[in-house]
Amino acid sequence: MSEYYLFHDSSKCIGCLSCEVHCKENKRLPVGPRLCRVMTVGPKMVGGLPKVDFIFMPCFHCERPWCVAACPTGAMQKRAEDGIVFVNEELCVGCKACMRACPWGVPQWNPETGKAVKCDYCKDRVDKGLEPACVAKCVTKCLHFGRPEQMVDSRRERHAKAMAAVGWEVTLRQPTAPASKPRKPPVRKQAE
Amino acid sequence: MEQQGALRQGDRVEIYRASGDQRWESYMARYIGMKGVVTDPDVVINDPDALVEVTLEGTGGTHRFPQDCLRRLGTGS
Amino acid sequence: MAQESTCPVREIRQEVASALAQESIKEPRARMRAEKLLVLLEDIAQGRAGSEHLADLKAVARSLTERQDAHGADLGQRILSLLESQGEIFQSHILTRNCASGACDMLAPAPCQMACPSGIDVPSYVALIGQGRYQEAVNLIRQDNPFPWVCGLVCTHPCEFVCVRGQVDSPVAIKELKAFAAEKALSEGRYLNPPKEPATGHMVCVVGAGPAGLTAAYFLALKGHKVTVIEALPMAGGMMMVGIPRFRLPREVIDREVAFIEELGVEFRFNTRLGVEVTLQSLRKEGFEAFFIAVGAHASHRLAVPGEDLPQVLDAVRFLRDVAMGARKRPGERVLVVGGGNVAIDAARTLVRLGCREVTLLYRRSRSEMPANVEEVRQAEEEGVRLVFLTIPVEVMGEKGRVVGLRCLRARLSEPDARGRRRPVPIEGSDHIMAADAVVTAIGQRVLTEGLEHLDLRWSSWDTIVADTITAGAGREGIFAGGDVVLGPATVVEAIGAGKRAAEGIDRFLKGLPQPTMPAVPVRRARLEPWEMAASLKMDLKRCEMPLLGPERRRITFQQVELGLGEEQARREAHRCLRCDICKRCGRCVVVCRDRMEIDALKLGYVGQPGESPTDFRMTSERCILCGACAANCPTGAMQMEDRGEERLLILGGTILQRERLERCQGCGDYLGPSRYLDFVRKRTSGLAQAFAGRLLCEKCARRATAESKSGMSVPQG
């Protein structure tokens, strides 16, 4: 897990893919790799109306990442200071073991460099005190990034912790009843 | 590195210095230090004055050199 | 064979790239121009550049110097001065698609092509032969060398000495393949001359219709000049015709190939000797503006022993010429040939065919020091030529004006002198007489200088013309020289190379263009798809054996000794080629597989230093998991991994190193990867929980399953 959370408020999300575009722009990626994905779920009829769910899928920066274990060259690393999982391009030889190992298909192939590339929360930006590109450019402001301790809303915190910590156990559960889905958090002013 | 006899086809040689021969041309200086194979020895009488055809390793090409700039490294098998 | 040499194109490209990456060029317009420079340089380095690139590069660099950006201006200035000092290298990248340093991955030349004095694109024509496209193979050869058949029969093939396949087992039979393609192309139709450029109106006179002169005439005619060849002999071919015996090179081979040169409008004047029938002045009056002196080296060194002037003492050059011109009378019953080079061997083998009862070759040194080609010495012995070593002739014995024998001394080899030479030292009192009724001397050739004095050229102390071997310029306005007249006795292919360079030099002279200062880099003519075959087959292909005429028949006829390859044989031979025009043998794949992936599946010894480790393509399949890291790191695309139907294949320059069936995604049925690869990953992650209950899913299905579980709904397929 990383020390950051990246919270997606799916009730506000309109599936515009700004996040994906800016993610690629920031990493100067060619056609092909998509480091974060907005997955469209649905439509399904809810109360007689069709409903679509947008699920935002960046990297979960797992506690014990499959990709890091799979990587034979030590290119895939987890930062000790904050838990961000990233690729060291110098060391990557393009064997794609990380792509094969990741249960969510996070690591992507960059055909230009012949190396793996993945979401690293835009660590270059984060290290400068900026937000990841996807968050910074989200049109509806449905993406939130930060450290859990900066949170004021306890439910959001719970959610973030759950998202960050348990990564795959949460997501690999059998499909859950809609009721247990994180609901839209009440809108509040962030404490300064 | 002691040479044994005249240069023969297949011998490995090094262009180890410039030659004083008047048929040594300035562009040949770029080949000093390169190694190669004798592909056509002096043709008939082991004449120390005859030019010898050397094919340089890698991408140096094939050229005729005066023999006094060549040093034998090994014989052809 | 990783070439560790530098290339100005690549170096400046990297400088521009790092200046951009480090954002040291601040001014936006300067930056834009630097980006443009990078694109241009990238094109040049990758072999994608067109004729406009150099001008564009210059223009953009110049405009960069005018911007208010110190770093950018400096870069622009550097590029301008590079173009000034090393423009030829940039040119060769663009025009010949060849980076002689090998630093530009896609343009790294094949060693065989670089070794060829005429610069033939060997890998490409060999590949065409492998595909059965013989006519095209010959047309490709003739872009660089108008004598594919002649060279196919008599070339000394320097290319084969550097053939990388030679490090695996033995070199590809490049020369034999050339002869096969030429013969096949002619038997199916004809050669196709390259298109001629429009007529320029310039007139060039080539002196000497040997390989150098004819090649110069061919290329000059292609450039649109009017070419006349004057030749002292009554036929074309020079030493190819009168120096090389017919059993090695049939006359019709030369005649056919010369005819195609004539077809370009080249005019021949036979029985015309410079300095006798015509002079430089008379030719200039006729309107010739440039001259290529390529008269060869047709005079012989003398033995300088008493009795040499007896009529039965012949020099080999004249003897071979007379036989070539139709004189088939044998000089004697017992003939001694003096000398140890190829000419001596040719003379001895010719004497056998003329019916001499006993032909003995005398050589001053030992067998191992004989300069003649080993293969030809062997054939001569098969034909009954006797070799006697360490024997020095001292006097031709005559009676009544006829040769009766040769008085000789035995010799031993001295200790090596300062230059490492071991000289034959006569042994006191070892006089003996070898009976003979004729002697043929073959101890070296020189240039016949008669008739050339009025050219007023510089001559070396060895009676060769002093000329620039890059441009063939002989130091006088409009006069060029090349071939044996400059090099001393050399080879056919060197003469062809000299003729080709001379044509370039003469063309530039006529057009008033600057002359090159560096040897031209050979032109890459194509980048053909490699022929696919299994690794085991590629390894098993052994060098073809040239079928030879039986020695009994060889003794009595001038029939060609080499019978030529069969089609099946030739195609198999062509498939032995490792395609060094695509694989630059940098060894990156081996390093990645061995040191980074720690799989060590690739056994490619030939990418390292010769003899360092063995090469065995078959070994790859034992360990290779088809991860594709080698292919991802191959700078030239020689190593390819591809999924084909149900299989994944790893192919290096056509050699199939590994192939495995692919497993399928349990979600959508798409192909995932071979089980070896999946196992490799599974093993590495075995300490972690299994995702998706151990189901094998492709990336798409994994994402969908995750999204679904997060949302509780089903994601639509697609």
Side-chain angles (χ1 to χ4, degrees):
Chain A
M1 99 178 237
S2 79
E3 293 185 15
Y4 303 103
Y5 73 90
L6 205 168
F7 173 61
H8 175 238
D9 183 350
S10 64
S11 63
K12 272 184 163 182
C13 179
I14 57 169
C16 73
L17 305 192
S18 289
C19 47
E20 289 203 33
V21 170
H22 287 98
C23 165
K24 290 190 67 155
E25 179 63 26
N26 181 55
K27 287 253 193 298
R28 295 189 181 148
L29 293 175
V31 173
R34 296 164 75 174
L35 306 195
C36 59
R37 288 292 290 271
V38 172
M39 306 289 285
T40 309
V41 182
K44 77 182 218 186
M45 301 307 280
V46 177
L49 294 169
K51 181 176 182 306
V52 168
D53 234 352
F54 296 112
I55 303 292
F56 179 71
M57 292 180 58
C59 172
F60 301 126
H61 299 276
C62 307
E63 179 67 20
R64 297 174 65 205
W66 282 264
C67 59
V68 173
C71 176
T73 67
M76 193 63 84
Q77 299 170 17
K78 189 171 173 68
R79 284 216 296 206
E81 65 266 36
D82 56 12
I84 287 180
V85 179
F86 69 100
V87 184
N88 174 334
E89 277 223 347
E90 295 282 289
L91 296 174
C92 176
V93 296
C95 74
K96 301 186 183 175
C98 51
M99 295 169 60
R100 185 59 248 139
C102 174
W104 353 96
V106 167
Q108 299 278 299
W109 181 246
N110 182 343
E112 254 178 20
T113 56
K115 294 175 191 292
V117 58
K118 70 181 282 295
C119 160
D120 55 6
Y121 280 164
C122 295
K123 64 182 171 55
D124 55 321
R125 293 173 56 85
V126 170
D127 292 346
K128 287 181 196 159
L130 302 167
E131 291 177 310
C134 54
V135 177
K137 293 286 186 182
C138 175
V139 172
T140 63
K141 294 281 176 272
C142 68
L143 286 172
H144 302 270
F145 180 83
R147 288 179 184 260
E149 61 269 23
Q150 297 167 330
M151 302 278 285
V152 285
D153 181 282
S154 59
R155 258 182 318 177
R156 196 189 274 183
E157 181 176 355
R158 261 207 314 280
H159 176 88
K161 276 199 168 147
M163 284 296 298
V166 261
W168 78 276
E169 280 103 344
V170 170
T171 42
L172 281 188
R173 276 189 322 222
Q174 286 306 305
T176 47
S180 69
K181 269 192 326 187
R183 278 191 319 219
K184 172 184 169 186
V187 183
R188 285 207 194 165
K189 279 214 172 104
Q190 288 264 6
E192 293 304 309
Chain B
M1 191 64 70
E2 190 66 351
Q3 268 183 214
Q4 292 297 306
L7 290 167
R8 304 213 50 234
Q9 194 179 51
D11 286 354
R12 270 179 52 75
V13 291
E14 179 188 5
I15 319 296
Y16 76 107
R17 62 175 186 193
S19 157
D21 192 298
Q22 65 188 114
R23 294 165 301 181
W24 172 271
E25 293 173 60
S26 55
Y27 77 88
M28 295 177 177
R30 77 178 56 230
Y31 304 122
I32 295 172
M34 281 196 177
K35 298 174 177 63
V37 185
V38 174
T39 40
D40 195 35
D42 91 75
V43 191
V44 179
I45 44 172
N46 288 318
D47 166 7
D49 291 332
L51 299 174
V52 166
E53 185 190 61
V54 176
T55 296
L56 297 169
E57 273 172 9
T59 57
T62 298
H63 311 271
R64 274 203 184 253
F65 293 100
Q67 289 173 59
D68 63 343
C69 62
L70 303 176
R71 176 159 61 192
R72 188 200 314 250
L73 300 173
T75 53
S77 42
Chain C
M1 196 186 304
Q3 282 290 117
E4 281 313 320
S5 40
T6 56
C7 164
V9 178
R10 187 186 159 93
E11 283 185 358
I12 196 78
R13 190 202 75 85
Q14 264 155 340
E15 256 180 79
V16 175
S18 68
L20 284 167
Q22 291 160 12
E23 304 189 350
S24 52
I25 299 175
K26 296 275 186 278
E27 204 257 343
R29 288 196 171 161
R31 200 181 159 75
M32 222 170 65
R33 285 177 172 77
E35 277 165 2
K36 205 164 180 179
L37 283 177
L38 187 60
V39 171
L40 289 169
L41 289 165
E42 187 65 37
D43 283 349
I44 293 171
Q46 294 282 329
R48 294 188 300 247
S51 49
E52 307 296 306
H53 270 67
L54 220 47
D56 287 358
L57 193 65
K58 216 175 238 161
V60 178
R62 181 160 299 119
S63 72
L64 188 56
T65 59
E66 291 153 7
R67 302 301 316 169
Q68 293 301 314
D69 185 295
H71 198 90
D74 181 51
L75 256 182
Q77 201 50 59
R78 293 267 315 285
I79 291 174
L80 288 178
S81 64
L82 262 183
L83 288 175
E84 199 62 46
S85 62
Q86 316 219 41
E88 283 171 11
I89 296 183
F90 283 76
Q91 286 279 14
S92 76
H93 278 63
I94 296 168
L95 299 177
T96 73
R97 302 268 181 265
N98 191 334
C99 167
S101 76
C104 296
D105 296 327
M106 298 308 276
L107 305 182
C112 47
Q113 181 175 13
M114 291 302 280
C116 177
S118 66
I120 298 171
D121 185 349
V122 176
S124 294
Y125 91 73
V126 168
L128 286 167
I129 291 171
Q131 297 176 18
R133 296 154 68 185
Y134 313 119
Q135 193 84 52
E136 288 169 76
V138 168
N139 293 344
L140 184 133
I141 294 169
R142 288 183 85 258
Q143 290 182 58
D144 294 296
N145 178 330
F147 291 106
W149 202 357
V150 169
C151 283
L153 297 177
V154 300
C155 187
T156 48
H157 52 75
C159 51
E160 293 186 29
F161 285 88
V162 295
C163 173
V164 179
R165 179 82 198 209
Q167 292 175 43
V168 180
D169 44 26
S170 45
V172 173
I174 299 170
K175 161 179 163 280
E176 284 80 356
L177 286 173
K178 199 181 280 113
F180 170 81
E183 191 168 345
K184 196 90 183 147
L186 278 181
S187 68
E188 286 173 359
R190 53 195 324 283
Y191 295 173
L192 209 62
N193 279 322
K196 269 176 78 165
E197 286 173 34
T200 61
H202 291 295
M203 284 171 70
V204 183
C205 178
V206 170
V207 184
L214 290 169
T215 303
Y218 169 81
F219 284 109
L220 286 164
L222 286 177
K223 288 180 192 293
H225 306 301
K226 179 88 197 69
V227 188
T228 302
V229 181
I230 62 170
E231 166 61 51
L233 291 169
M235 73 254 283
M239 274 294 186
M240 299 187 292
M241 188 64 94
V242 299
I244 298 172
R246 295 290 72 87
F247 54 87
R248 289 211 289 133
L249 179 60
R251 173 168 180 167
E252 47 277 19
V253 173
I254 306 167
D255 288 345
R256 290 296 297 265
E257 296 199 323
V258 172
F260 290 114
I261 297 175
E262 201 164 4
E263 233 173 56
L264 289 168
V266 174
E267 187 202 331
F268 286 89
R269 294 187 203 168
F270 295 117
N271 303 309
T272 307
R273 187 181 286 279
L274 183 64
V276 182
E277 282 82 11
V278 288
T279 62
L280 185 63
Q281 291 70 25
S282 76
L283 290 165
R284 279 207 196 272
K285 274 205 190 77
E286 282 188 56
F288 291 107
E289 303 149 85
F291 299 84
F292 181 45
I293 312 298
V295 299
H298 289 255
S300 285
H301 284 293
R302 289 170 58 85
L303 280 177
V305 298
E308 195 174 1
D309 293 326
L310 286 164
Q312 296 80 30
V313 180
L314 315 164
D315 74 72
V317 179
R318 179 168 311 168
F319 164 68
L320 287 170
R321 180 167 64 225
D322 291 346
V323 173
M325 309 276 280
R328 294 291 162 101
K329 203 171 154 303
R330 61 176 192 264
E333 287 290 344
R334 286 168 151 184
V335 189
L336 295 174
V337 180
V338 181
N342 286 327
V343 178
I345 295 285
D346 280 343
R349 295 176 74 189
T350 300
L351 288 162
V352 169
R353 283 162 175 77
L354 292 177
C356 304
R357 227 162 13 99
E358 217 178 87
V359 180
T360 309
L361 188 141
L362 305 186
Y363 183 51
R364 310 153 59 96
R365 290 180 170 82
S366 63
R367 178 187 286 261
S368 67
E369 302 219 277
M370 219 169 152
N373 175 295
V374 178
E375 174 59 21
E376 285 176 44
V377 175
R378 196 178 58 79
Q379 289 182 12
E381 288 186 281
E382 281 174 1
E383 289 159 15
V385 174
R386 207 158 64 90
L387 305 182
V388 176
F389 297 101
L390 292 164
T391 302
I392 304 172
V394 288
E395 186 186 353
V396 181
M397 316 293 290
E399 274 174 28
K400 300 181 192 147
R402 291 195 62 82
V403 169
V404 293
L406 190 62
R407 195 159 63 84
C408 301
L409 288 171
R410 286 193 220 297
R412 59 178 175 77
L413 289 179
S414 70
E415 287 309 301
D417 64 9
R419 289 177 63 172
R421 293 184 165 274
R422 306 178 61 188
R423 301 190 173 281
V425 181
I427 299 171
E428 291 273 322
S430 63
D431 282 48
H432 59 288
I433 291 175
M434 299 184 76
D437 47 16
V439 176
V440 175
T441 62
I443 57 161
Q445 291 146 259
R446 41 180 200 84
V447 175
L448 195 62
T449 54
E450 266 166 74
L452 303 179
E453 301 87 345
H454 74 292
L455 296 176
D456 195 23
L457 297 174
R458 274 184 61 215
W459 292 81
S460 74
S461 351
W462 303 273
D463 278 354
T464 54
I465 294 175
V466 178
D468 182 326
T469 50
I470 296 174
T471 63
R476 271 196 68 192
E477 177 80 356
I479 299 188
F480 296 77
D484 285 3
V485 78
V486 169
L487 294 173
T491 61
V492 170
V493 72
E494 281 172 288
I496 290 169
K500 187 176 165 184
R501 286 191 297 273
E504 180 66 26
I506 292 168
D507 183 59
R508 284 172 180 239
F509 162 76
L510 293 172
K511 293 176 179 163
L513 297 169
Q515 293 287 3
T517 54
M518 292 192 299
V521 178
V523 183
R524 295 171 69 126
R525 302 285 177 190
R527 188 188 170 100
L528 288 148
E529 278 302 304
W531 182 269
E532 247 177 55
M533 65 182 356
S536 57
L537 202 55
K538 188 90 168 183
M539 286 297 291
D540 286 346
L541 288 173
K542 292 285 166 272
R543 186 183 163 112
C544 62
E545 294 261 334
M546 172 60 76
L548 301 178
L549 193 66
E552 302 69 31
R553 203 165 164 71
R554 285 184 353 219
R555 274 184 217 124
I556 53 171
T557 72
F558 277 82
Q559 198 180 325
Q560 205 179 329
V561 174
E562 294 189 348
L563 297 172
L565 301 178
E567 181 165 3
E568 187 56 33
Q569 218 185 351
R571 288 192 62 175
R572 281 173 62 93
E573 184 62 29
H575 296 157
R576 295 179 68 239
C577 173
L578 300 177
R579 294 304 303 273
C580 303
D581 59 325
I582 303 177
C583 167
K584 62 176 263 187
R585 301 162 314 288
C586 63
R588 230 176 285 184
C589 51
V590 175
V591 170
V592 163
C593 183
R594 186 188 58 209
D595 306 343
R596 312 290 302 282
M597 294 298 297
E598 295 182 346
I599 291 172
D600 197 14
L602 295 169
K603 297 286 175 250
L604 307 176
Y606 68 85
V607 304
Q609 288 303 310
E612 199 178 305
S613 55
T615 295
D616 192 343
F617 299 123
R618 295 165 299 197
M619 302 279 285
T620 307
S621 63
E622 293 178 11
R623 292 190 182 165
C624 170
I625 59 166
L626 288 159
C627 70
C630 51
N633 288 277
C634 175
T636 66
M639 187 73 87
Q640 298 271 348
M641 191 169 79
E642 78 175 86
D643 288 359
R644 210 180 277 170
E646 299 248 313
E647 283 192 314
R648 177 167 293 175
L649 293 91
L650 182 72
I651 307 168
L652 171 60
T655 309
I656 301 169
L657 299 175
Q658 176 72 313
R659 61 197 311 168
E660 283 278 328
R661 211 176 54 77
L662 290 164
E663 300 293 327
R664 292 181 159 211
C665 166
Q666 291 167 332
C668 63
D670 264 5
Y671 293 115
L672 276 181
S675 55
R676 283 169 175 248
Y677 178 65
L678 302 178
D679 288 346
F680 172 84
V681 178
R682 203 176 289 134
K683 208 151 139 200
R684 296 192 65 90
T685 55
S686 60
L688 302 171
Q690 279 206 326
F692 305 115
R695 289 172 79 216
L696 269 182
L697 294 181
C698 68
E699 175 220 329
K700 272 207 237 80
C701 290
R703 273 196 169 170
R704 209 184 54 247
T706 309
E708 279 176 16
S709 71
K710 284 180 77 169
S711 121
M713 295 200 283
S714 287
V715 181
Q717 297 276 345

